[in-house]
């Protein structure tokens, strides 16, 4: 592989005009396709195999046109102190609001009058209108939402307190600010890392081109493939992350090759042949993690994973072709001005030494330059010093890292999963205020009523209703609503506790266990419970699939059994520690005010799988890039300890920069008002922090130092079975050095061609 990538890198460098034109054309073509394609709508959400989904399907069949899975809204009214909602003036305002809502949009399916639907509190202080729509919350037009909010404002002008809740106000979370913050921080980190605006700009430029092609392609195909308007969100986040990382690795290796005296085209070829191999396998691990989301068996997640995997594949191809092409345009400016000046001074000093010492010394100077030997007075960089420190105290570093992450992981044992409701919104939002008004007037369960569907005749319906009324945790049961055929009925059950509480979840299970297979529980609350259960059930199979396939892949890369095992165990440790931090902040409320957490509650059920998929891909990026350099040094004759130092000398700075960039990108989302976005940003940021700076920078070198030569052990029979992909570029190096056998000259001619 290294030889093929070497040739590809040199080809891209030499034919840079053609390669650049091809990528720019692809970007333009994808942009035109996205602009001319129909606007994407919300993808149809379904959860095959769950009771809530079967109930929705039954409702669609038995109540045609009922829009059972459509958006809902609750317009909540509270009378001024000393008044009641039953007072004639207040009642007239509410009835006008009912009329305005019915005529306000063609997307409205039904509007209930609170005075005929028993939606007035016992003390008369609170009432609410329930509005159901024909389409889901993501598909509602802006005009429909405006009609809803304008109706509330009109009633508010009459002196009533009016707030609006429900998923009708739900919109796609806007993440543009977080992305901008991440790009700005990435630019600063890259400038500090490389000391060159040109070198810093290349990863940013190519990452944005890759994301542009990926997201534009998703948009162009969204309508035809039912990808939905949210599918590109994950692709944008992951594509931006890995695009910067992969380009950073290639540019860094290119600069290192230049420092060793290579010509620019040769340096580009070697950079792609060595670091490019690490990029290919790192990209494969990310693709495995994203495509593996299909294990969850939720079509929306599967589409998001496949779309994001496609964007990652584009990022890999760009790193292997467009980066060397752009390096051809960059010239010497890819090296910082200070570095160029220092190199010129060293060259001048070497020339003076050559003139004074004769031809023999000149040959020695040239040899040292070509071999990349550092001057004797040059200080070891921070990566070298840290690696030597770990080699002196491997047991201490290992124990501190493992015990520290283990302590942070303790809260994860108390993990409670669910989906956030309006009660998790900031108190400044109308959704949260409507939630609180309903809780005060009707009880917390009124925010998440259960929809019970009975497949049977009147007798079966009455029997089911009686059984439900006798269960603990039930606050109210409405009279059944039969369909025209009389073979199916709907019953609304109001729990005593809030929708996301364990007590409400227990009530859903009790209804299902005590009423028989002909009674199905659905509604938003039941859907959330089933979704959480499905995610929980899929976690271990998903983890096994991702880690297992990646283990095999890393075994091929590193030609070792223990190194991939260590990588997988270290990843699990960092993810569990990150989950512990998420539980401590968002479920227990520790430091909640620091991160803007106003309401604690269960952890978003998607969080564990989402963290496993995203963080595993990024963690393996750092593992592959850092340890591949160690493997390369070890294969070329260095002792295990020396190989660790070499890997850190060349890779620590780059991995640190990549990790800081990713932390900044994810941390930019912590300031979002949406609890879900805030939680994702925090969880991913701390996970990358733990994995990059504790596991990869401390635990990994400590374990490798303790294992010594055993770290690279591979049974002979397995060595014969596994394909030799030459990631470390050993065959390539022998060929270029003239030791590749009788075909070496022919190979070099092919390379030049």
């Amino acid at each position: 592989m290294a030889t093929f990538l070497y040739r590809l890198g040199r080809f891209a460098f030499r034919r840079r005009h053609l390669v650049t034109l091809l990528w720019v054309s692809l970007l333009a073509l994808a942009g035109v396709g996205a602009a001319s394609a129909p606007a994407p709508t919300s993808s149809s959400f379904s959860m095959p195999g769950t009771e809530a989904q079967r109930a929705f399907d039954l409702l669609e069949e038995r109540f045609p046109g009922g829009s059972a899975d459509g958006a809902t809204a609750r317009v909540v009214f509270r009378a001024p102190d000393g008044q009641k909602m039953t007072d004639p003036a207040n009642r007239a305002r509410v009835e006008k609001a009912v009329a305005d809502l019915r005529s306000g949009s063609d997307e409205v399916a039904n509007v209930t009058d609170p005075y005929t639907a028993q939606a007035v509190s016992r003390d008369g202080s609170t009432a609410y209108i329930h509005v159901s729509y024909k389409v889901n919350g993501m598909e509602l037009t802006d005009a429909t939402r405006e009609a809803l909010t304008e109706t509330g404002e009109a009633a508010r002008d009459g002196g009533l307190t009016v707030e609006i809740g429900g998923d009708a106000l739900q919109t796609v979370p806007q993440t543009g600010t977080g992305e901008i913050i991440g790009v700005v921080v990435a630019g600063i980190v890259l400038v500090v890392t490389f000391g060159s605006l040109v070198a810093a700009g290349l990863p940013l430029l190519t990452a944005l081109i890759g994301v542009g092609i990926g997201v534009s392609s998703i948009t162009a195909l969204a309508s035809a493939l039912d990808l939905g308007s949210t599918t590109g969100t994950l692709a944008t986040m992951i594509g931006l992350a890995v695009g910067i990382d992969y380009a950073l690795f290639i540019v860094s290796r290119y600069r290192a090759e230049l420092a060793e005296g290579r010509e620019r085209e040769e340096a580009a070829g070697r950079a792609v042949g060595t670091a490019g191999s690490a990029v290919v396998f790192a990209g494969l691990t990310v693709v495995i993690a994203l495509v593996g989301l299909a294990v969850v068996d939720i079509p929306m997640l599967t589409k998001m994973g496949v779309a994001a995997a496609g964007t990652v594949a584009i990022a890999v191809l760009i790193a292997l072709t467009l980066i060397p092409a752009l390096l051809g345009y960059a010239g010497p400016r890819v090296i910082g001005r200070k570095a160029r000046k220092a190199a010129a001074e060293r060259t001048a000093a070497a020339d003076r030494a050559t003139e004074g010492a004769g031809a023999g010394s000149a040959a020695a100077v040239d040899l040292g330059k070509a071999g990349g030997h550092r001057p004797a007075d040059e200080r070891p960089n921070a990566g070298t010093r840290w690696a030597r420190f770990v080699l002196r105290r491997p047991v201490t570093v290992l124990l501190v890292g493992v015990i520290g992450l283990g302590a942070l992981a303790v809260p994860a044992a108390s993990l409670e999963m669910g989906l956030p409701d309006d009660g998790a919104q900031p108190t400044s939002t109308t959704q949260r205020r409507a939630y609180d008004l309903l809780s005060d007037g009707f009880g917390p369960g009124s925010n998440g009523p259960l929809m019970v569907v009975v497949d049977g005749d009147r007798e079966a319906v009455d029997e089911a209703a009686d059984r439900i009324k006798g269960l603990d945790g039930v606050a109210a049961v409405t009279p059944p609503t039969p369909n025209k055929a009389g073979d199916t009925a709907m019953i609304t059950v109001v729990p005593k506790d809030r929708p996301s509480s364990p007590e409400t979840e227990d009530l859903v299970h009790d209804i299902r266990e005590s009423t028989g297979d002909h009674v199905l529980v659905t509604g938003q609350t039941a859907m959330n419970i089933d979704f959480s259960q499905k995610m929980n059930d899929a976690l271990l199979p998903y983890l096994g699939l991702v880690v297992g396939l990646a283990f095999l892949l890393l075994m091929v890369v590193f030609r070792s059994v223990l190194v991939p095992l260590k990588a997988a165990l270290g990843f699990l440790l960092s993810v569990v520690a990150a989950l512990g931090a998420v539980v401590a902040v968002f479920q227990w409320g520790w430091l909640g005010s620091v991160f803007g957490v106003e309401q604690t509650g269960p952890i978003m059920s998607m969080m564990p799988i989402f963290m496993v998929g995203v963080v595993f891909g990024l963690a393996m990026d750092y593992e592959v890039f850092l340890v591949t350099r160690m493997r390369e040094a070890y294969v070329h004759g260095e002792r295990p300890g020396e190989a660790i130092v070499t890997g850190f000398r060349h890779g620590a700075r780059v991995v640190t920069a990549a990790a800081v960039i990713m932390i900044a990108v994810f941390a930019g989302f912590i300031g979002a008002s949406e609890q879900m976005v805030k939680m994702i940003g925090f969880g991913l940021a701390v996970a990358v922090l733990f994995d990059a700076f504790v596991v990869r920078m401390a635990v990994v070198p400590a374990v490798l130092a303790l294992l010594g030569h055993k770290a690279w052990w591979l049974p002979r029979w397995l060595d014969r079975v596994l394909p030799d992909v030459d990631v470390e570029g050993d065959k390539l190096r022998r060929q270029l050095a003239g030791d590749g056998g009788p075909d070496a000259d022919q190979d070099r001619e092919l390379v030049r061609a």
Side-chain angles (χ1 to χ4, degrees), residues 259-283:
E260 293 186 1
R262 317 284 184 206
E263 295 295 330
R264 290 171 51 227
E265 183 178 335
E266 177 69 12
R270 289 180 180 247
V272 176
T274 51
S277 298
V279 166
V280 169
F281 282 94

Side-chain angles (χ1 to χ4, degrees), residues 427-445:
T427 53
S428 59
T429 63
T430 185
Q431 294 98 317
R432 172 61 184 276
R433 291 196 294 265
Y435 181 97
D436 293 338
L437 287 177
L438 278 174
S439 297
D440 293 342
F442 300 90

Side-chain angles (χ1 to χ4, degrees), residues 245 249 386 405 570-571 573-575 578 615-616 618-623 626 648 651-663 666 684-701:
D245 275 6
F249 296 160
W386 171 250
L405 291 180
F571 157 74
L573 183 61
S574 61
V575 166
V615 178
F616 184 80
L618 296 177
M620 292 306 104
D621 282 357
Y622 308 144
E623 175 78 15
L626 193 62
F648 270 78
R653 184 182 180 89
V654 178
V655 171
T656 299
V660 170
I661 290 170
M662 291 308 99
I663 292 169
F666 295 139
L684 295 181
V686 297
V688 173
L689 175 68
F690 295 159
D691 195 90
F693 293 105
V694 181
V695 173
R696 307 301 150 195
M697 292 292 184
V699 174
V700 165

Side-chain angles (χ1 to χ4, degrees), residues 309-332:
T311 305
V312 171
I314 292 172
V316 171
L317 292 175
I318 282 180
L320 299 178
T321 57
L322 184 57
I323 283 292
L326 295 180
L327 288 172
Y329 292 113

Side-chain angles (χ1 to χ4, degrees), residues 28-39:
L29 184 63
V32 171
S36 58

Side-chain angles (χ1 to χ4, degrees), residues 64-350:
S67 303
D69 58 348
T72 61
R74 290 180 296 275
V75 184
V76 188
F77 303 85
R78 171 162 287 184
D81 293 340
Q83 298 182 24
K84 293 186 177 182
M85 292 306 303
T86 52
D87 293 344
N90 293 333
R91 180 165 183 162
R93 296 187 184 100
V94 173
E95 289 176 343
K96 182 179 184 304
V98 170
D100 291 343
L101 289 169
R102 285 174 176 166
S103 61
S105 172
D106 293 336
E107 294 178 326
V108 173
N110 186 43
V111 180
T112 60
D113 187 329
Y115 300 102
T116 60
Q118 300 179 351
V120 180
S121 63
R122 292 183 178 179
D123 61 3
S125 64
T126 310
Y128 69 91
I129 301 172
H130 181 85
V131 187
S132 57
Y133 293 88
K134 299 175 183 178
V135 295
N136 63 46
M138 292 296 184
E139 293 179 330
L140 286 178
T141 62
D142 291 338
T144 298
R145 290 195 180 95
E146 289 173 4
L148 178 63
T149 55
E150 288 172 1
T151 298
E153 290 171 0
R156 194 178 291 122
D157 292 340
L160 296 174
T161 298
V162 185
E163 304 295 346
I164 304 172
D167 61 349
L169 296 182
Q170 178 185 6
T171 57
V172 178
Q174 299 298 315
T175 57
T177 303
E179 293 167 9
I180 292 172
I181 293 173
V183 170
V184 171
V185 173
I188 295 172
V189 173
L190 289 170
V191 170
V192 172
T193 301
F194 288 136
S196 163
L197 288 175
V198 173
L202 286 178
L204 288 176
L205 175 62
T206 55
L208 292 175
I209 290 175
V211 170
I213 294 174
V215 174
S216 296
S217 300
I218 292 170
T219 304
L221 298 172
S223 180
L225 302 181
D226 190 27
L227 298 180
S229 57
T230 60
T231 305
T233 303
L234 182 61
T236 301
M237 182 182 292
I238 303 301
L240 190 63
V242 301
I244 294 175
D245 275 6
Y246 298 161
L248 178 62
F249 296 160
I250 300 291
V251 173
S252 176
R253 188 60 183 256
Y254 173 75
R255 285 160 52 98
E257 295 293 339
L258 288 180
E260 293 186 1
R262 317 284 184 206
E263 295 295 330
R264 290 171 51 227
E265 183 178 335
E266 177 69 12
R270 289 180 180 247
V272 176
T274 51
S277 298
V279 166
V280 169
F281 282 94
L284 282 176
T285 60
V286 183
V287 169
I288 288 172
L290 293 171
V291 174
L293 288 172
V295 172
V296 184
D297 193 26
I298 294 180
M300 182 190 72
L301 287 181
T302 301
K303 293 174 184 177
M304 290 180 68
V306 172
T311 305
V312 171
I314 292 172
V316 171
L317 292 175
I318 282 180
L320 299 178
T321 57
L322 184 57
I323 283 292
L326 295 180
L327 288 172
Y329 292 113
R333 289 170 297 178
V334 75
I335 305 296
R337 183 177 300 175
K338 291 183 179 179
R340 293 201 304 270
K341 183 178 179 181
E345 292 175 353
R346 286 198 299 270
T347 301

